[in-house]
Amino acid sequence: MKNIALLFTLSTFSTTFSQVSYDFAKPLPPNGKEVQNVDAKHFGEYKSTKSDRIIIINEKGIFAKNSFISSISRETIRESSKFKKRGNYLFGVSDKDSVECFEEGDRFYFAVTMMEEIYSPKGSNKLMLVSSNTYLLNFYENGVFVPCLISFINGDFQIQYFDYANDTKVFDDFTTVSTKNQNGLLIKTLAPTQEQFSISVFAQMFGEETKYLKIRFF
């Protein structure tokens, strides 16, 4: 089993643990440079190669736009003054505008879009510079950090989550600042020095990349 810290839901992250789980007392890399945003040349919209998920990167930060299908019954529309159907559009399900819908049986189906903040300069997550095209985004939760690697390659975007084999040795030389047992899980909070971290291999700390293609420039 692998330890996987999962990002970009718009309000939560979930982790699959092995018997030993790791997090970090401070953002990675050690003694790295914290930045307020990625380089402006990377601003734009990026669409996942595997889903409808869209990553938006602009001067305000990094956001995820997710769409899912919802529905409402014909009876609800008929009995409520809040909802109206005009042609192929529903009014009242969105505060901003009507949404296109289609009918199946006695229900009308429509797409709902939600925005999730992944990073903003005013938030608790920390963005650390690795190079002009590579950053470590450190997610903050309960006093510790879990990193993910974000990169810009040939104009596109990719993210790699904190993901390692349960028998990994990559953390063996990292300084451990605390250890606790939680429901049978051993959680180690690490604080590697710059020297310790420099000999680690990124490929051993992060999983397979999720790729996004740039679809819009800002």
Side-chain angles (χ1 to χ4, degrees):
M1 181 178 284
K2 294 181 177 181
N3 178 316
I4 305 176
L6 297 177
L7 176 333
F8 290 207
T9 67
L10 265 161
S11 56
T12 61
F13 298 93
S14 63
T15 307
T16 300
F17 292 104
S18 61
Q19 291 182 346
V20 180
S21 175
Y22 300 94
D23 51 40
F24 296 88
K26 297 180 179 180
L28 297 181
N31 302 320
K33 179 182 178 181
E34 182 178 355
V35 293
Q36 297 300 298
N37 212 329
V38 303
D39 194 302
K41 68 183 180 182
H42 302 308
F43 289 177
E45 290 190 12
Y46 301 80
K47 186 180 184 301
S48 170
T49 59
K50 296 182 179 180
S51 71
D52 292 331
R53 183 176 174 90
I54 291 176
I55 299 297
I56 300 171
I57 303 176
N58 56 31
E59 68 280 359
K60 296 180 180 179
I62 304 173
F63 307 86
K65 183 165 67 174
N66 302 279
S67 297
F68 61 92
I69 299 298
S70 187
S71 69
I72 190 171
S73 69
R74 182 187 300 275
E75 181 180 13
T76 299
I77 296 175
R78 183 172 59 246
E79 295 180 354
S80 173
S81 59
K82 177 181 177 180
F83 305 108
K84 300 291 182 183
K85 181 177 180 296
R86 297 173 185 169
N88 293 326
Y89 292 87
L90 279 175
F91 294 80
V93 296
S94 171
D95 294 335
K96 296 183 178 180
D97 201 354
S98 61
V99 295
E100 192 170 5
C101 66
F102 68 91
E103 182 179 1
E104 186 173 305
D106 66 346
R107 303 190 70 82
F108 294 96
Y109 293 83
F110 54 93
V112 176
T113 300
M114 295 185 65
M115 293 291 292
E116 171 191 6
E117 180 182 293
I118 297 172
Y119 167 79
S120 75
K122 296 181 180 179
S124 299
N125 299 334
K126 301 298 182 181
L127 186 65
M128 308 293 286
L129 179 69
V130 177
S131 72
S132 61
N133 295 321
T134 307
Y135 303 81
L136 280 178
L137 176 56
N138 294 264
F139 298 110
Y140 177 83
E141 185 174 355
N142 299 324
V144 296
F145 294 89
V146 175
C148 74
L149 179 65
I150 63 174
S151 307
F152 299 89
I153 300 176
N154 297 325
D156 296 322
F157 170 81
Q158 69 179 34
I159 184 168
Q160 293 170 260
Y161 297 106
F162 190 44
D163 184 0
Y164 49 85
N166 63 340
D167 59 350
T168 184
K169 302 298 183 182
V170 70
F171 306 118
D172 286 1
D173 294 329
F174 286 6
T175 301
T176 300
V177 295
S178 69
T179 301
K180 64 180 179 181
N181 283 284
Q182 184 173 308
N183 299 322
L185 175 69
L186 182 63
I187 303 175
K188 293 186 176 182
T189 297
L190 308 176
T193 64
Q194 186 174 12
E195 181 181 7
Q196 290 170 344
F197 190 78
S198 66
I199 63 174
S200 67
V201 181
F202 270 16
Q204 294 179 258
M205 293 181 58
F206 301 100
E208 183 178 358
E209 66 273 7
T210 301
K211 297 181 179 179
Y212 294 79
L213 302 180
K214 196 165 194 175
I215 58 174
R216 183 184 176 190
F217 293 84
F218 290 158

